[in-house]
Amino acid sequence: MVEPMPLPNETVTSLAMALVESSKAPLLLIDDDVVVVGASASFCNTFNLDPATIANRRLADLGAGEWDVPQLNSLLLATIAGAAEIDAYEMDLVREGKATCRLILSAHKLDYFDTENVRIVLAATDVTATRLAEKQKDDLVREKHVLLQELQHRVANSLQIIASVLMQSAKRVQSEETRLHLQDAHSRVMSIAMLQKQLAVTQLKSVQLQTYFADLCRTISASMIDDPKRLTLKAVVDDTTTNSDVSVSMGLIVTELVINAIKHAFSKQTTGGKITVSLTEDEGAWLLSVSDNGSGMPGGEKGGKPGLGTGIVEALSKQLDATVTVVNANPGTRVEVRRGQA
């Protein structure tokens, strides 16, 4: 096989010059001393340089010295030596009296057989407008995020005020039945208030259910369990996260089931009563349960006449594409809300 003859140095330079000067992109042809051999018209127009004075000048001396960037010079020398290539290097071109440009630079060495003259082609892309648009978009997203967090805080605070009013009303009424209804309403409102707090401190797209259910159980305990020796409520939840819509439904289901257990599973003379909220998740399938060690709900496993709470749980479970099962826990009752095969 016959090896190709090396091109004369003058021919190499002429070809490279023709390539650069005919390009519509901002290009520079640089030698091994980081001296500009030639430039495309686009480069001169983009960076306001006189084409007649750009050749045979060091890159660092172009313009008013704005190209004198030590890191860029080091990268070019490494490229000339064959130790590296500049690929999408970003830098700011700071020019006195003009707006700073954000540039993406790329450079590679031209290989023309065995020639001893090293030539580097440097391409510069002005991405100032693109980066500005990205920044404005990011700023807008952050602003909306802050506003939404503030809204979540305000809603949570408003719900807590409503819950406080309901609790105060429950303490003043004479009717035991009315008092129970107000306490139930208070717990339901606080369930939503706890979720709003979680949304305010999360990324809004996901809710950490472990924290949410723990806070919810503490809130229900504070409002409906007067003696911890008689009855305790705790949450045993893994690190599952879900979106806000699902967490709203789950929180309401837990609230209804816990209220039901507090009202029906334990007598006033009970000591050592326990209610446990648990949640496990596996690849999208999950099992949410509320269990107690009490006497069970009226009517045993089949349950008595469905009440408001039962209707709410069934409706919310159907919305989540989940099934509800009541299990005799011996002692007590366990209500399971299952989606998939968790």
Side-chain angles (χ1 to χ4, degrees):
M1 181 177 178
V2 179
E3 292 291 334
M5 293 293 292
L7 295 175
N9 293 337
E10 295 79 3
T11 303
V12 170
T13 301
S14 297
L15 288 173
M17 284 288 293
L19 170 68
V20 169
E21 291 179 351
S22 63
S23 173
K24 294 183 179 180
L27 297 180
L28 281 182
L29 183 63
I30 300 171
D31 68 12
D32 53 2
D33 290 324
V34 197
V35 171
V36 176
V37 178
S40 67
S42 176
F43 187 94
C44 297
N45 293 334
T46 300
F47 302 108
N48 301 114
L49 297 171
D50 185 355
T53 62
I54 196 171
N56 299 317
R57 294 180 63 189
R58 290 181 57 81
L59 177 64
D61 296 332
L62 295 185
E66 60 265 22
W67 291 92
D68 186 10
V69 180
Q71 187 172 3
L72 174 59
N73 187 68
S74 297
L75 289 171
L76 287 171
L77 290 175
T79 302
I80 290 167
E85 281 193 355
I86 300 177
D87 184 21
Y89 167 65
E90 289 200 30
M91 61 166 270
D92 288 327
L93 186 67
V94 182
R95 296 175 292 178
E96 186 176 353
K98 297 180 181 178
T100 298
C101 292
R102 186 67 175 177
L103 304 180
I104 294 182
L105 302 177
S106 299
H108 65 275
K109 183 164 60 173
L110 297 179
D111 185 10
Y112 287 98
F113 308 116
D114 295 327
T115 179
E116 296 180 357
N117 289 347
V118 175
R119 295 291 183 266
I120 297 292
V121 173
L122 175 67
T125 304
D126 187 348
V127 294
T128 307
T130 302
R131 292 293 182 264
L132 179 59
E134 291 173 352
K135 181 179 183 302
Q136 290 175 336
K137 180 182 177 181
D138 291 342
D139 290 344
L140 182 59
V141 170
R142 280 193 293 270
E143 181 181 357
K144 287 185 176 180
H145 179 73
V146 171
L147 290 175
L148 189 51
Q149 279 190 316
E150 177 63 22
L151 176 61
Q152 298 289 1
H153 278 298
R154 287 174 181 263
V155 171
N157 291 340
S158 298
L159 288 171
Q160 288 179 315
I161 291 172
I162 294 172
S164 297
V165 172
L166 289 171
M167 184 55 65
Q168 291 300 318
S169 299
K171 293 178 179 178
R172 291 196 299 266
V173 297
Q174 300 299 317
S175 168
E176 182 66 20
E177 181 180 0
T178 302
R179 181 179 297 107
L180 290 175
H181 285 316
L182 288 172
Q183 288 177 340
D184 290 354
H186 167 269
S187 295
R188 288 171 178 135
V189 171
M190 286 304 296
S191 173
I192 301 299
M194 286 300 103
L195 176 63
Q196 294 295 332
K197 280 190 172 182
Q198 288 297 311
L199 291 176
V201 299
T202 63
Q203 296 301 311
L204 305 175
K205 292 183 179 179
S206 62
V207 176
Q208 174 57 254
L209 293 178
Q210 187 176 63
T211 304
Y212 172 41
F213 283 145
D215 289 343
L216 183 58
C217 288
R218 279 194 293 269
T219 300
I220 296 176
S221 297
S223 63
M224 299 192 69
I225 300 176
D226 53 1
D227 185 1
K229 293 181 180 180
R230 186 180 80 85
L231 180 61
T232 58
L233 170 61
K234 69 174 182 178
V236 181
V237 180
D238 60 18
D239 58 357
T240 299
T241 61
T242 188
N243 62 54
S244 59
D245 290 338
V246 172
S247 61
V248 167
S249 298
M250 282 185 165
L252 289 173
I253 288 172
V254 167
T255 300
E256 294 301 331
L257 293 177
V258 169
I259 290 175
N260 204 39
I262 291 174
K263 290 170 61 177
H264 300 295
F266 304 97
S267 67
K268 292 184 178 179
Q269 291 75 35
T270 296
T271 57
K274 296 179 180 179
I275 300 175
T276 303
V277 176
S278 67
L279 175 70
T280 56
E281 188 269 345
D282 183 21
E283 296 183 354
W286 48 261
L287 172 62
L288 171 64
S289 69
V290 176
S291 59
D292 64 72
N293 65 345
S295 58
M297 295 184 294
E301 292 185 22
K302 295 183 180 179
K305 182 180 179 180
L308 174 62
T310 301
I312 291 174
V313 170
E314 289 179 349
L316 291 170
S317 299
K318 184 177 180 181
Q319 189 179 62
L320 295 173
D321 194 25
T323 58
V324 182
T325 306
V326 181
V327 180
N328 187 346
N330 291 319
T333 303
R334 182 171 68 254
V335 181
E336 298 179 345
V337 180
R338 183 189 301 270
R339 186 176 73 178
Q341 296 298 319

